[in-house]
Amino acid sequence: MSSPAPNINRLWADLIVEELVRNGVRHFFLAPGSRSSPLVAAIAQHPMTEATIHFDERGAAFAALGCARGSGRPAAWITTSGTAAANGLPAVVEAAQSHVPLIALTADRPPELRDTGANQAIDQIRLFATYPRWFVDFPCPSAEIDTSFVLTTVDQAVHRATGSPAGPVHLNCPYREPLAPSRLAGKLPEISDRWLRSRSPYTEYRAGAGEPDPGAISELTDEARRVRRGIMIVGELPTLEDARAVTSLASQIGWPVFADITSQMRLGDTPSNIVRRPHFVCAANAGAAEPELVLRLGGPVSSKEIRGYPDSVDARIVAVVDHQERRDPSHRVSTVIQASTRAFCRALAGAATSPDRDWLDSWTGADERIDFALRAQIDSLSAISEPGVAAAVTRLLPEDNALFVASSMPIRDVDMFGSSSGALRRIAANRGASGIDGTAATAFGYHLGAGCPVTLLIGDLALLHDLNSLALVQGRPVIVVAINNGGGGIFNFLPIAEHAEVFEPWFTSPHIWSFEHAASMFGIHYDRPGSPLDFERSYAAAVRTGRAALIEVVTERRSNRLLHADLRTCALEAARSDGF
Ligand SMILES: Cc1ncc(C[n+]2csc(CCOP(=O)(O)OP(=O)(O)O)c2C)c(N)n1
Ligand SMILES: [Mg+2]
């Protein structure tokens, strides 16, 4: 904390920033503006902050979200007042729905300027509606107010953001003039001696490790011993440690495991009961004996086939969640065990099971046949394709790199066609609200938070949506693989595609733009490979050099739809070729 503060605005800003740092916040994402000057100056002069400046508040907020997602620690987003603050809503929504600790600090006009027609003044009270886990409208800094109030407010904000469920918090910070760090006469208020002498937060929160209810574990242990046909479905997991804990439980329990691509259990060699092609294995299931018990862990599942599988059978569903929210869109769950994923895995470790071997083999056998057939089919493609790129990127992604995938077809393609061998690698996506906005900024933030190079696999519309965030990527080990199919290719897979009279251009937003000039505008290396082999060379070279690159893959929406249909047929035929 820089001292002594020149005025009360700066003193409070210093206290806020120092207390955030003491609570583990390192990364601050800000966009320029005047009203936020006290906070910005405090961040600029704090020795332990890492600041990213971006001209677009929406991108800055998504970058903070990505950073918190990648690091597992809260990240802060600072904005000036007015529409600048309103630009944070999409990232706040995503943070709320995907349980990411995002600290939103919005500078504001003082109360006497609200509702008066004052410039750049809007109603910022509960601006993000019900999404934040906590909202505080700070008073204007004042020497009359105990400075410990500022500290306990920050501590509580971080506690709420990182609690269960984690999520965004919103601190609205009104300031009167002077906004700049001009020195004012007059005595500043005292600060707690205990706090000044220490490096810890003023209030330390000691939360438990999310241990599950012992009664629920002992009942589940009994049930697991009796059940012959159990399955595990694993949704999004936040860290590789969670993925490893679930993988180890899965291999011990021995049931078939259908893990979503964002579970982070799929990009690497896994035990054979973790099926490699769960989307197609579930799609091919017709006729197989029904499971008795479904154990569901983690967050959302992207594949409709995996999501829908438990709904199509008459099994008891037990869900393990680390929060209190209802996550049961089809209203089928009969028991919810609230516990952290790792605590649950520890508690259930050692539980004996008696899986029906033939049943397990029928799943894993089908999985192997699908995997083999899909690999052969994709390898034989002579033209560059969306499934081929998903397979190549997941195969070539180095061990210490992470993959960030955009919503729309990229996440589905990686889920269906991604390859799973080698070391386990990190993968993430914005699937809380599945927006296509802010994806490039989130991937950049993820790179900062995870501290590793990132490959972003993204569609053309999603990239156009967040094109100006390429400014963040410049000079960073972030490789953007842009699948340009000239519009929203996903709509070709939806029933609306059969209605030619309204389909084009209303749903696909067709365009003929290329990203070459955008890459050059932002100083990013650009390539446009024309064949699968060219793509592999281009991608491998970008990984090797470790500098920002944009690799544009041009495909065509209709033939992409047909190729997906062929690959699905190939997978289902392979699954059924042994009477499965
Ligand atoms: C912010 C936002 N706007 C609109 C949508 C609806 N939407 C989902 S996918 C999609 C098209 C995405 O196109 P592109 O990024 O090119 O990927 P492709 O479908 O071609 O794989 C749209 C508009 C959304 N999810 N989020
Ligand atoms: Mg597209």
Side-chain angles (χ1 to χ4, degrees):
M1 194 171 128
S2 64
S3 65
N7 59 45
I8 185 72
N9 284 345
R10 177 58 187 274
L11 177 72
W12 275 36
D14 280 339
L15 293 176
I16 290 173
V17 172
E18 168 68 15
E19 195 65 348
L20 284 171
V21 168
R22 290 190 188 197
N23 274 286
V25 178
R26 285 289 168 280
H27 289 277
F28 293 74
F29 296 82
L30 35 104
S34 171
R35 194 57 52 169
S36 53
S37 302
L39 285 166
V40 172
I43 293 162
Q45 294 190 300
H46 194 290
M48 286 172 70
T49 53
E50 304 260 341
T52 299
I53 301 153
H54 189 35
F55 43 78
D56 182 335
E57 288 77 13
R58 184 181 64 168
F62 272 108
L65 166 90
C67 182
R69 203 191 270 293
S71 65
R73 295 203 299 197
W77 169 67
I78 291 91
T79 171
T80 192
S81 64
T83 55
N87 269 283
L89 181 65
V92 168
V93 168
E94 176 61 27
Q97 301 211 164
S98 56
H99 300 175
V100 175
L102 173 67
I103 315 268
L105 296 152
T106 55
D108 197 359
R109 313 271 140 167
E112 63 273 19
L113 289 182
R114 294 177 187 170
D115 228 351
T116 62
N119 183 39
Q120 214 176 317
I122 66 166
D123 182 0
Q124 295 185 191
I125 307 302
R126 300 197 184 276
L127 182 60
F128 304 126
T130 54
Y131 289 100
R133 302 285 182 254
W134 201 47
F135 168 76
V136 171
D137 186 27
F138 267 114
C140 286
S142 155
E144 314 279 290
I145 301 172
D146 184 349
T147 50
S148 300
F149 154 74
V150 179
L151 302 174
T152 63
T153 303
V154 171
D155 297 334
Q156 172 70 190
V158 174
H159 180 59
R160 298 275 186 119
T162 53
S164 186
V169 292
H170 178 196
L171 305 182
N172 194 49
C173 309
Y175 293 110
R176 295 198 173 93
E177 308 268 345
L179 302 171
S182 330
R183 192 156 292 284
L184 292 188
K187 201 168 165 314
L188 289 175
E190 298 292 313
I191 301 169
S192 151
D193 250 0
R194 163 175 78 81
W195 184 78
L196 282 174
R197 275 187 273 106
S198 102
R199 299 217 135 151
S200 308
Y202 185 85
T203 308
E204 233 183 323
Y205 287 86
R206 309 287 289 264
E211 294 300 328
D213 170 46
I217 292 297
S218 95
E219 281 167 33
L220 186 60
T221 307
D222 283 350
E223 194 173 2
R225 190 179 313 116
R226 282 195 316 271
V227 158
R228 303 270 293 135
R229 295 187 309 277
I231 61 170
M232 273 173 77
I233 294 189
V234 190
E236 182 180 26
L237 294 173
T239 66
L240 275 187
E241 288 71 48
D242 291 301
R244 289 198 180 96
V246 178
T247 302
S248 139
L249 179 70
S251 66
Q252 178 218 316
I253 287 194
W255 299 341
V257 179
F258 308 146
D260 185 69
I261 189 69
T262 57
S263 68
Q264 316 206 52
M265 294 163 62
R266 295 257 311 280
L267 288 189
D269 292 319
T270 45
S272 64
N273 63 318
I274 298 179
V275 303
R276 276 174 282 188
R277 307 288 179 179
H279 174 89
F280 293 114
V281 157
C282 286
N285 178 57
E290 295 202 341
E292 299 153 83
L293 179 67
V294 175
L295 179 59
R296 219 181 67 187
L297 288 100
V301 170
S302 349
S303 155
K304 220 170 165 178
E305 301 283 3
I306 306 176
R307 249 190 348 249
Y309 175 70
D311 299 341
S312 68
V313 295
D314 190 23
R316 200 171 103 72
I317 302 177
V318 176
V320 181
V321 289
D322 63 356
H323 53 77
Q324 290 183 316
E325 293 176 359
R326 175 172 56 170
R327 289 291 169 97
D328 184 19
S330 47
H331 311 285
R332 291 282 328 279
V333 173
S334 46
T335 304
V336 175
I337 300 179
Q338 194 181 333
S340 83
T341 304
R342 274 179 265 177
F344 173 81
C345 291
R346 270 196 310 274
L348 207 65
T353 53
S354 48
D356 177 339
R357 278 271 135 212
D358 290 344
W359 195 65
L360 174 65
D361 291 347
S362 73
W363 289 107
T364 54
D367 186 40
E368 271 167 34
R369 292 192 297 281
I370 294 171
D371 190 49
F372 185 81
L374 280 182
R375 276 173 200 252
Q377 183 95 344
I378 290 172
D379 284 351
S380 72
L381 297 173
S382 54
I384 203 158
S385 68
E386 300 183 24
V389 166
V393 166
T394 46
R395 185 161 35 80
L396 299 172
L397 184 78
E399 183 175 346
D400 52 356
N401 285 222
L403 181 60
F404 199 89
V405 271
S407 285
S408 207
M409 290 314 287
I411 188 158
R412 291 174 173 82
D413 282 343
V414 171
D415 192 39
M416 290 187 282
F417 308 114
S419 97
S420 52
S421 56
L424 209 58
R425 285 142 307 152
R426 300 186 67 164
I427 174 165
N430 280 344
R431 293 302 287 179
S434 299
I436 57 164
D437 43 352
T439 315
T442 314
F444 158 78
Y446 194 83
H447 145 68
L448 286 188
C452 67
V454 164
T455 293
L456 165 64
L457 185 63
I458 186 169
D460 49 296
L461 292 189
L463 184 54
L464 286 167
H465 213 298
D466 197 23
L467 199 62
N468 69 14
S469 289
L470 288 178
L472 293 168
V473 165
Q474 184 185 24
R476 297 285 179 165
V478 175
I479 302 169
V480 180
V481 177
I483 307 284
N484 189 351
N485 52 22
I490 194 167
F491 295 109
N492 284 70
F493 292 80
L494 302 181
I496 193 71
E498 310 303 321
H499 298 266
E501 68 286 7
V502 290
F503 186 53
E504 297 272 8
W506 304 99
F507 290 86
T508 52
S509 345
H511 66 85
I512 51 163
W513 300 316
S514 152
F515 292 101
E516 182 170 5
H517 296 298
S520 109
M521 172 176 172
F522 290 109
I524 297 172
H525 172 77
Y526 172 84
D527 198 10
R528 182 178 157 166
S531 71
L533 195 61
D534 278 353
F535 174 77
E536 290 193 16
R537 285 202 192 111
S538 177
Y539 180 63
V543 166
R544 228 179 10 256
T545 57
R547 58 187 173 134
L550 196 161
I551 303 176
E552 180 165 10
V553 175
V554 177
T555 57
E556 201 272 319
R557 292 193 301 278
R558 266 171 302 263
S559 51
N560 179 48
R561 171 77 184 88
L562 295 176
L563 175 59
H564 276 76
D566 283 352
L567 291 168
R568 183 180 172 92
T569 306
C570 158
L572 297 191
E573 279 175 1
R576 289 171 183 147
S577 64
D578 199 34
F580 177 67

